[in-house]
Amino acid sequence: MAEASRTSEARRDAVFARWVIFSPARSRRPTDLKSHGPANPSPGPDDGAPKPSCPFCLGRESECAPEIFRVPAPDESPSWRIRVIENLFPALRREAAPPAPEDEEPVGAGECAVRGFGFHDVVIETPHHEVRLWDLEAEGVRDVLLAYARRVQQLAEHPAVKYVQVFKNQGASAGASMAHSHSQMLGTPFVPPSVTSRLNCMKEVFERSGKCSLCAVVSKDILVSETHNFSAFVPFAASYPFEIWIVPRQHSSYFHETDQDKVLDLAGLLKSMLQKLCKQLNDPPFNYMIHSAPFGLSSSCLPYTHWFLQIVPQLSVIGGFEIGSGCHINPVFPEDAAKILREIDGSV
């Protein structure tokens, strides 16, 4: 459908069961939609010196919370490439006693409270303050992804941890409190409700069609790029303008079980997608999240559980309608966003 003939349309996706209203009249041309100002200004040359106020920089390790593990530099200079540390200000605390079902304290009708047990970790992606994730070579991005997988596997072995959410906040308006490139993960003693809703929606699709929601062939109209192992596309019912999903082309339920040889493929595609968004949208703040399966999932659930990585540029403000209804309004049709992104060179 030509852009000029677009009228408002409502779409429901087959993963989150969300309704999204596409209303191109609420925006200028899709190519004009950009971040109002670079939340993450392009860095100058990195002189290798730590920044005076950044504890994530090389040489200031003692100012951070305890280290869990590090990925060493091959030539020991600098002494590390990636560090995984405890969060100094954790949302959940690992020293708390894990809650048991009998520990749930009734607060009201259907309400309860338990101790704030869990794990909140930080992945410092580079020792250099001015280097962003997509500035790394594909092998460097691969090593960050492998660090995620290694830590998720460690947390999966804790009997009280039911789910791990890996995420990256880039830019202050996307939730980042530190400018130094990093990502985080939270291990929770419960399965978050949005994860349960996602699994229920995918189960419904599977029972009705016999197919996994994310194993279907991606329409060329919404495809941005693909490799032998992964597809990157703007989802059919994207909640956010220029949202991108990166999905394994072969069915896989758990991110941390991805073969190491495939992770380099994923890293190159992730790097390219972040570069495209940076170039087209004026270096916007963004979030990405890895949506994987809860631990201990029954084998009968695995055929419809498919992990993926979701990238969300922060280009608009969530208003009362979205908060009240749970429906998003997206001013850019996925087909238009995908066409624009296909034409952008994935390097900056």
Side-chain angles (χ1 to χ4, degrees):
M1 185 187 299
E3 181 183 325
S5 64
R6 294 280 195 197
T7 59
S8 293
E9 181 176 303
R11 297 181 180 183
R12 180 182 183 272
D13 86 320
V15 174
F16 293 109
R18 293 173 184 161
W19 280 97
V20 180
I21 297 171
F22 291 92
S23 181
R26 294 178 62 86
S27 178
R28 295 171 292 176
R29 292 175 299 174
T31 51
D32 293 335
L33 189 63
K34 299 179 186 292
S35 177
H36 294 300
N40 318 297
S42 297
D46 183 17
D47 58 9
K51 301 305 171 186
S53 60
C54 181
F56 288 176
C57 283
L58 183 69
R60 303 189 63 183
E61 294 82 0
S62 63
E63 299 176 35
C64 294
E67 181 178 294
I68 299 167
F69 66 83
R70 66 174 57 189
V71 178
D75 57 0
E76 298 302 322
S77 179
S79 60
W80 56 271
R81 285 182 294 140
I82 299 164
R83 294 179 70 226
V84 179
I85 64 172
E86 299 179 13
N87 193 307
L88 193 60
F89 305 102
L92 296 171
R93 295 192 170 274
R94 67 196 71 216
E95 67 271 15
E102 59 269 21
D103 293 335
E104 295 185 1
E105 299 178 12
V107 176
E111 299 173 335
C112 69
V114 297
R115 289 182 295 274
F117 162 81
F119 293 84
H120 191 174
D121 301 332
V122 176
V123 180
I124 305 173
E125 301 158 354
T126 169
H128 303 297
H129 190 85
E130 305 292 355
V131 175
R132 304 165 300 184
L133 179 64
W134 59 98
D135 294 327
L136 299 173
E137 297 297 329
E139 290 79 7
V141 179
R142 173 201 62 193
D143 291 342
V144 170
L145 296 172
L146 289 174
Y148 294 167
R150 177 179 170 185
R151 183 56 181 156
V152 171
Q153 180 60 54
Q154 291 175 348
L155 293 174
E157 294 169 2
H158 194 294
V161 175
K162 306 302 181 187
Y163 188 76
V164 173
Q165 181 63 67
V166 177
F167 62 98
K168 179 177 177 64
N169 302 332
Q170 178 74 23
S173 60
S177 58
M178 301 286 289
H180 193 121
S181 192
H182 70 285
S183 36
Q184 302 179 63
M185 61 183 73
L186 267 163
T188 63
F190 53 83
V191 178
S194 64
V195 177
T196 301
S197 297
R198 167 167 55 92
L199 298 186
N200 288 341
C201 177
M202 298 181 78
K203 178 182 180 181
E204 177 187 323
V205 171
F206 182 77
E207 290 178 341
R208 186 173 64 248
S209 67
K211 299 178 181 178
C212 164
S213 302
L214 290 174
C215 282
V217 176
V218 178
S219 166
K220 293 188 180 300
D221 290 337
I222 60 174
L223 183 68
V224 179
S225 183
E226 63 182 353
T227 66
H228 182 70
N229 298 299
F230 296 92
S231 296
F233 57 90
V234 180
F236 169 78
S239 294
Y240 307 92
F242 291 92
E243 175 182 351
I244 296 173
W245 292 5
I246 300 178
V247 179
R249 297 178 67 180
Q250 183 176 358
H251 187 81
S252 176
S253 298
Y254 290 101
F255 160 75
H256 67 280
E257 294 180 351
T258 305
D259 294 341
Q260 288 201 16
D261 60 337
K262 294 181 180 178
V263 176
L264 181 59
D265 204 19
L266 172 62
L269 192 56
L270 174 59
K271 173 182 167 76
S272 175
M273 293 304 103
L274 295 179
Q275 289 175 326
K276 284 174 177 283
L277 292 174
C278 177
K279 191 169 186 178
Q280 172 60 33
L281 304 177
N282 193 28
D283 195 7
F286 67 84
N287 307 95
Y288 71 57
M289 295 71 60
I290 295 177
H291 299 285
S292 193
F295 303 137
L297 202 62
S298 167
S299 60
S300 63
C301 301
L302 297 180
Y304 58 80
T305 309
H306 196 137
W307 78 264
F308 65 101
L309 189 152
Q310 177 189 23
I311 309 171
V312 178
Q314 295 297 335
L315 300 170
S316 57
V317 177
I318 300 301
F321 174 77
E322 288 88 349
I323 296 171
S325 67
C327 298
H328 287 252
I329 299 176
N330 188 338
V332 183
F333 273 90
E335 294 82 359
D336 295 334
K339 182 177 185 295
I340 292 166
L341 291 171
R342 281 196 299 270
E343 295 172 354
I344 295 293
D345 181 16
S347 61
V348 291

PDB file of all heavy atoms in Angstrom, residues 195-217:
ATOM      1  N   VAL A 195       5.499 -11.784  30.936  1.00  0.00           N
ATOM      2  CA  VAL A 195       6.056 -13.023  30.379  1.00  0.00           C
ATOM      3  C   VAL A 195       4.969 -14.085  30.319  1.00  0.00           C
ATOM      4  O   VAL A 195       4.820 -14.799  29.316  1.00  0.00           O
ATOM      5  CB  VAL A 195       7.256 -13.508  31.220  1.00  0.00           C
ATOM      6  CG1 VAL A 195       7.784 -14.834  30.679  1.00  0.00           C
ATOM      7  CG2 VAL A 195       8.356 -12.453  31.242  1.00  0.00           C
ATOM      8  N   THR A 196       4.187 -14.175  31.380  1.00  0.00           N
ATOM      9  CA  THR A 196       3.070 -15.128  31.400  1.00  0.00           C
ATOM     10  C   THR A 196       2.082 -14.810  30.286  1.00  0.00           C
ATOM     11  O   THR A 196       1.608 -15.713  29.577  1.00  0.00           O
ATOM     12  CB  THR A 196       2.362 -15.092  32.765  1.00  0.00           C
ATOM     13  OG1 THR A 196       3.307 -15.425  33.789  1.00  0.00           O
ATOM     14  CG2 THR A 196       1.204 -16.067  32.806  1.00  0.00           C
ATOM     15  N   SER A 197       1.776 -13.532  30.096  1.00  0.00           N
ATOM     16  CA  SER A 197       0.852 -13.134  29.027  1.00  0.00           C
ATOM     17  C   SER A 197       1.401 -13.490  27.656  1.00  0.00           C
ATOM     18  O   SER A 197       0.664 -13.956  26.772  1.00  0.00           O
ATOM     19  CB  SER A 197       0.577 -11.629  29.104  1.00  0.00           C
ATOM     20  OG  SER A 197      -0.063 -11.294  30.316  1.00  0.00           O
ATOM     21  N   ARG A 198       2.715 -13.282  27.482  1.00  0.00           N
ATOM     22  CA  ARG A 198       3.348 -13.623  26.193  1.00  0.00           C
ATOM     23  C   ARG A 198       3.235 -15.110  25.913  1.00  0.00           C
ATOM     24  O   ARG A 198       2.879 -15.532  24.794  1.00  0.00           O
ATOM     25  CB  ARG A 198       4.815 -13.174  26.212  1.00  0.00           C
ATOM     26  CG  ARG A 198       5.675 -13.720  25.099  1.00  0.00           C
ATOM     27  CD  ARG A 198       7.005 -12.994  24.983  1.00  0.00           C
ATOM     28  NE  ARG A 198       7.779 -12.965  26.206  1.00  0.00           N
ATOM     29  CZ  ARG A 198       8.696 -13.871  26.556  1.00  0.00           C
ATOM     30  NH1 ARG A 198       8.929 -14.906  25.762  1.00  0.00           N
ATOM     31  NH2 ARG A 198       9.379 -13.748  27.673  1.00  0.00           N
ATOM     32  N   LEU A 199       3.532 -15.933  26.925  1.00  0.00           N
ATOM     33  CA  LEU A 199       3.452 -17.383  26.732  1.00  0.00           C
ATOM     34  C   LEU A 199       2.018 -17.830  26.465  1.00  0.00           C
ATOM     35  O   LEU A 199       1.774 -18.709  25.632  1.00  0.00           O
ATOM     36  CB  LEU A 199       4.013 -18.104  27.953  1.00  0.00           C
ATOM     37  CG  LEU A 199       5.496 -17.859  28.275  1.00  0.00           C
ATOM     38  CD1 LEU A 199       5.936 -18.745  29.426  1.00  0.00           C
ATOM     39  CD2 LEU A 199       6.376 -18.091  27.058  1.00  0.00           C
ATOM     40  N   ASN A 200       1.055 -17.231  27.163  1.00  0.00           N
ATOM     41  CA  ASN A 200      -0.344 -17.598  26.955  1.00  0.00           C
ATOM     42  C   ASN A 200      -0.809 -17.255  25.546  1.00  0.00           C
ATOM     43  O   ASN A 200      -1.547 -18.024  24.909  1.00  0.00           O
ATOM     44  CB  ASN A 200      -1.232 -16.903  27.989  1.00  0.00           C
ATOM     45  CG  ASN A 200      -1.083 -17.489  29.380  1.00  0.00           C
ATOM     46  OD1 ASN A 200      -0.605 -18.615  29.540  1.00  0.00           O
ATOM     47  ND2 ASN A 200      -1.488 -16.743  30.394  1.00  0.00           N
ATOM     48  N   CYS A 201      -0.368 -16.102  25.055  1.00  0.00           N
ATOM     49  CA  CYS A 201      -0.740 -15.697  23.699  1.00  0.00           C
ATOM     50  C   CYS A 201      -0.131 -16.644  22.672  1.00  0.00           C
ATOM     51  O   CYS A 201      -0.815 -17.096  21.743  1.00  0.00           O
ATOM     52  CB  CYS A 201      -0.287 -14.266  23.437  1.00  0.00           C
ATOM     53  SG  CYS A 201      -0.613 -13.679  21.756  1.00  0.00           S
ATOM     54  N   MET A 202       1.153 -16.977  22.840  1.00  0.00           N
ATOM     55  CA  MET A 202       1.810 -17.864  21.886  1.00  0.00           C
ATOM     56  C   MET A 202       1.233 -19.276  21.952  1.00  0.00           C
ATOM     57  O   MET A 202       1.151 -19.975  20.935  1.00  0.00           O
ATOM     58  CB  MET A 202       3.312 -17.857  22.140  1.00  0.00           C
ATOM     59  CG  MET A 202       3.943 -16.479  21.932  1.00  0.00           C
ATOM     60  SD  MET A 202       5.735 -16.423  22.183  1.00  0.00           S
ATOM     61  CE  MET A 202       6.324 -17.124  20.638  1.00  0.00           C
ATOM     62  N   LYS A 203       0.811 -19.685  23.155  1.00  0.00           N
ATOM     63  CA  LYS A 203       0.159 -20.993  23.297  1.00  0.00           C
ATOM     64  C   LYS A 203      -1.165 -21.012  22.538  1.00  0.00           C
ATOM     65  O   LYS A 203      -1.496 -21.991  21.843  1.00  0.00           O
ATOM     66  CB  LYS A 203      -0.079 -21.294  24.771  1.00  0.00           C
ATOM     67  CG  LYS A 203      -0.795 -22.613  25.018  1.00  0.00           C
ATOM     68  CD  LYS A 203      -1.044 -22.835  26.512  1.00  0.00           C
ATOM     69  CE  LYS A 203      -1.761 -24.162  26.754  1.00  0.00           C
ATOM     70  NZ  LYS A 203      -2.035 -24.377  28.205  1.00  0.00           N
ATOM     71  N   GLU A 204      -1.922 -19.925  22.652  1.00  0.00           N
ATOM     72  CA  GLU A 204      -3.211 -19.836  21.966  1.00  0.00           C
ATOM     73  C   GLU A 204      -3.040 -19.945  20.456  1.00  0.00           C
ATOM     74  O   GLU A 204      -3.779 -20.658  19.772  1.00  0.00           O
ATOM     75  CB  GLU A 204      -3.878 -18.499  22.333  1.00  0.00           C
ATOM     76  CG  GLU A 204      -5.194 -18.236  21.631  1.00  0.00           C
ATOM     77  CD  GLU A 204      -5.702 -16.834  21.915  1.00  0.00           C
ATOM     78  OE1 GLU A 204      -5.534 -16.344  23.055  1.00  0.00           O
ATOM     79  OE2 GLU A 204      -6.263 -16.212  20.989  1.00  0.00           O
ATOM     80  N   VAL A 205      -2.029 -19.247  19.927  1.00  0.00           N
ATOM     81  CA  VAL A 205      -1.756 -19.303  18.487  1.00  0.00           C
ATOM     82  C   VAL A 205      -1.349 -20.722  18.084  1.00  0.00           C
ATOM     83  O   VAL A 205      -1.810 -21.250  17.063  1.00  0.00           O
ATOM     84  CB  VAL A 205      -0.657 -18.293  18.108  1.00  0.00           C
ATOM     85  CG1 VAL A 205      -0.217 -18.492  16.657  1.00  0.00           C
ATOM     86  CG2 VAL A 205      -1.132 -16.873  18.326  1.00  0.00           C
ATOM     87  N   PHE A 206      -0.506 -21.347  18.904  1.00  0.00           N
ATOM     88  CA  PHE A 206      -0.024 -22.696  18.589  1.00  0.00           C
ATOM     89  C   PHE A 206      -1.171 -23.712  18.600  1.00  0.00           C
ATOM     90  O   PHE A 206      -1.262 -24.569  17.706  1.00  0.00           O
ATOM     91  CB  PHE A 206       1.043 -23.102  19.604  1.00  0.00           C
ATOM     92  CG  PHE A 206       1.657 -24.451  19.348  1.00  0.00           C
ATOM     93  CD1 PHE A 206       2.613 -24.626  18.360  1.00  0.00           C
ATOM     94  CD2 PHE A 206       1.267 -25.558  20.099  1.00  0.00           C
ATOM     95  CE1 PHE A 206       3.174 -25.873  18.120  1.00  0.00           C
ATOM     96  CE2 PHE A 206       1.821 -26.810  19.868  1.00  0.00           C
ATOM     97  CZ  PHE A 206       2.775 -26.964  18.875  1.00  0.00           C
ATOM     98  N   GLU A 207      -2.049 -23.602  19.569  1.00  0.00           N
ATOM     99  CA  GLU A 207      -3.169 -24.552  19.654  1.00  0.00           C
ATOM    100  C   GLU A 207      -4.153 -24.362  18.510  1.00  0.00           C
ATOM    101  O   GLU A 207      -4.810 -25.312  18.078  1.00  0.00           O
ATOM    102  CB  GLU A 207      -3.869 -24.394  20.998  1.00  0.00           C
ATOM    103  CG  GLU A 207      -3.025 -24.885  22.173  1.00  0.00           C
ATOM    104  CD  GLU A 207      -3.718 -24.690  23.517  1.00  0.00           C
ATOM    105  OE1 GLU A 207      -4.670 -23.858  23.584  1.00  0.00           O
ATOM    106  OE2 GLU A 207      -3.308 -25.352  24.498  1.00  0.00           O
ATOM    107  N   ARG A 208      -4.246 -23.145  18.021  1.00  0.00           N
ATOM    108  CA  ARG A 208      -5.180 -22.866  16.935  1.00  0.00           C
ATOM    109  C   ARG A 208      -4.598 -23.224  15.575  1.00  0.00           C
ATOM    110  O   ARG A 208      -5.299 -23.729  14.691  1.00  0.00           O
ATOM    111  CB  ARG A 208      -5.570 -21.385  16.966  1.00  0.00           C
ATOM    112  CG  ARG A 208      -6.652 -21.012  15.959  1.00  0.00           C
ATOM    113  CD  ARG A 208      -7.120 -19.567  16.140  1.00  0.00           C
ATOM    114  NE  ARG A 208      -6.065 -18.597  15.872  1.00  0.00           N
ATOM    115  CZ  ARG A 208      -5.511 -17.830  16.790  1.00  0.00           C
ATOM    116  NH1 ARG A 208      -5.891 -17.919  18.063  1.00  0.00           N
ATOM    117  NH2 ARG A 208      -4.558 -16.965  16.455  1.00  0.00           N
ATOM    118  N   SER A 209      -3.292 -22.978  15.392  1.00  0.00           N
ATOM    119  CA  SER A 209      -2.693 -23.136  14.063  1.00  0.00           C
ATOM    120  C   SER A 209      -1.683 -24.272  13.969  1.00  0.00           C
ATOM    121  O   SER A 209      -1.317 -24.690  12.873  1.00  0.00           O
ATOM    122  CB  SER A 209      -1.991 -21.832  13.658  1.00  0.00           C
ATOM    123  OG  SER A 209      -0.864 -21.597  14.505  1.00  0.00           O
ATOM    124  N   GLY A 210      -1.205 -24.748  15.130  1.00  0.00           N
ATOM    125  CA  GLY A 210      -0.165 -25.758  15.135  1.00  0.00           C
ATOM    126  C   GLY A 210       1.209 -25.194  14.823  1.00  0.00           C
ATOM    127  O   GLY A 210       2.161 -25.944  14.586  1.00  0.00           O
ATOM    128  N   LYS A 211       1.331 -23.867  14.840  1.00  0.00           N
ATOM    129  CA  LYS A 211       2.599 -23.219  14.494  1.00  0.00           C
ATOM    130  C   LYS A 211       3.029 -22.255  15.597  1.00  0.00           C
ATOM    131  O   LYS A 211       2.204 -21.649  16.264  1.00  0.00           O
ATOM    132  CB  LYS A 211       2.464 -22.446  13.176  1.00  0.00           C
ATOM    133  CG  LYS A 211       2.116 -23.314  11.978  1.00  0.00           C
ATOM    134  CD  LYS A 211       1.948 -22.467  10.726  1.00  0.00           C
ATOM    135  CE  LYS A 211       1.575 -23.327   9.526  1.00  0.00           C
ATOM    136  NZ  LYS A 211       1.371 -22.506   8.301  1.00  0.00           N
ATOM    137  N   CYS A 212       4.328 -22.125  15.741  1.00  0.00           N
ATOM    138  CA  CYS A 212       4.898 -21.126  16.639  1.00  0.00           C
ATOM    139  C   CYS A 212       4.718 -19.740  16.021  1.00  0.00           C
ATOM    140  O   CYS A 212       4.927 -19.554  14.818  1.00  0.00           O
ATOM    141  CB  CYS A 212       6.376 -21.422  16.878  1.00  0.00           C
ATOM    142  SG  CYS A 212       7.317 -20.055  17.585  1.00  0.00           S
ATOM    143  N   SER A 213       4.350 -18.766  16.841  1.00  0.00           N
ATOM    144  CA  SER A 213       4.114 -17.404  16.351  1.00  0.00           C
ATOM    145  C   SER A 213       5.323 -16.815  15.640  1.00  0.00           C
ATOM    146  O   SER A 213       5.174 -16.024  14.698  1.00  0.00           O
ATOM    147  CB  SER A 213       3.747 -16.479  17.522  1.00  0.00           C
ATOM    148  OG  SER A 213       2.623 -16.934  18.214  1.00  0.00           O
ATOM    149  N   LEU A 214       6.519 -17.188  16.078  1.00  0.00           N
ATOM    150  CA  LEU A 214       7.731 -16.568  15.549  1.00  0.00           C
ATOM    151  C   LEU A 214       8.483 -17.449  14.564  1.00  0.00           C
ATOM    152  O   LEU A 214       9.552 -17.063  14.087  1.00  0.00           O
ATOM    153  CB  LEU A 214       8.657 -16.172  16.706  1.00  0.00           C
ATOM    154  CG  LEU A 214       8.147 -14.999  17.551  1.00  0.00           C
ATOM    155  CD1 LEU A 214       9.045 -14.763  18.754  1.00  0.00           C
ATOM    156  CD2 LEU A 214       8.046 -13.724  16.713  1.00  0.00           C
ATOM    157  N   CYS A 215       7.944 -18.625  14.264  1.00  0.00           N
ATOM    158  CA  CYS A 215       8.578 -19.495  13.268  1.00  0.00           C
ATOM    159  C   CYS A 215       8.043 -19.240  11.860  1.00  0.00           C
ATOM    160  O   CYS A 215       8.587 -19.767  10.894  1.00  0.00           O
ATOM    161  CB  CYS A 215       8.371 -20.964  13.635  1.00  0.00           C
ATOM    162  SG  CYS A 215       9.478 -21.552  14.941  1.00  0.00           S
ATOM    163  N   ALA A 216       6.988 -18.456  11.755  1.00  0.00           N
ATOM    164  CA  ALA A 216       6.410 -18.179  10.443  1.00  0.00           C
ATOM    165  C   ALA A 216       7.398 -17.387   9.592  1.00  0.00           C
ATOM    166  O   ALA A 216       8.217 -16.622  10.107  1.00  0.00           O
ATOM    167  CB  ALA A 216       5.109 -17.397  10.603  1.00  0.00           C
ATOM    168  N   VAL A 217       7.313 -17.567   8.301  1.00  0.00           N
ATOM    169  CA  VAL A 217       8.174 -16.825   7.378  1.00  0.00           C
ATOM    170  C   VAL A 217       7.825 -15.351   7.459  1.00  0.00           C
ATOM    171  O   VAL A 217       6.659 -14.958   7.411  1.00  0.00           O
ATOM    172  CB  VAL A 217       7.994 -17.336   5.931  1.00  0.00           C
ATOM    173  CG1 VAL A 217       8.818 -16.493   4.962  1.00  0.00           C
ATOM    174  CG2 VAL A 217       8.384 -18.797   5.843  1.00  0.00           C
TER     175      VAL A 217
END
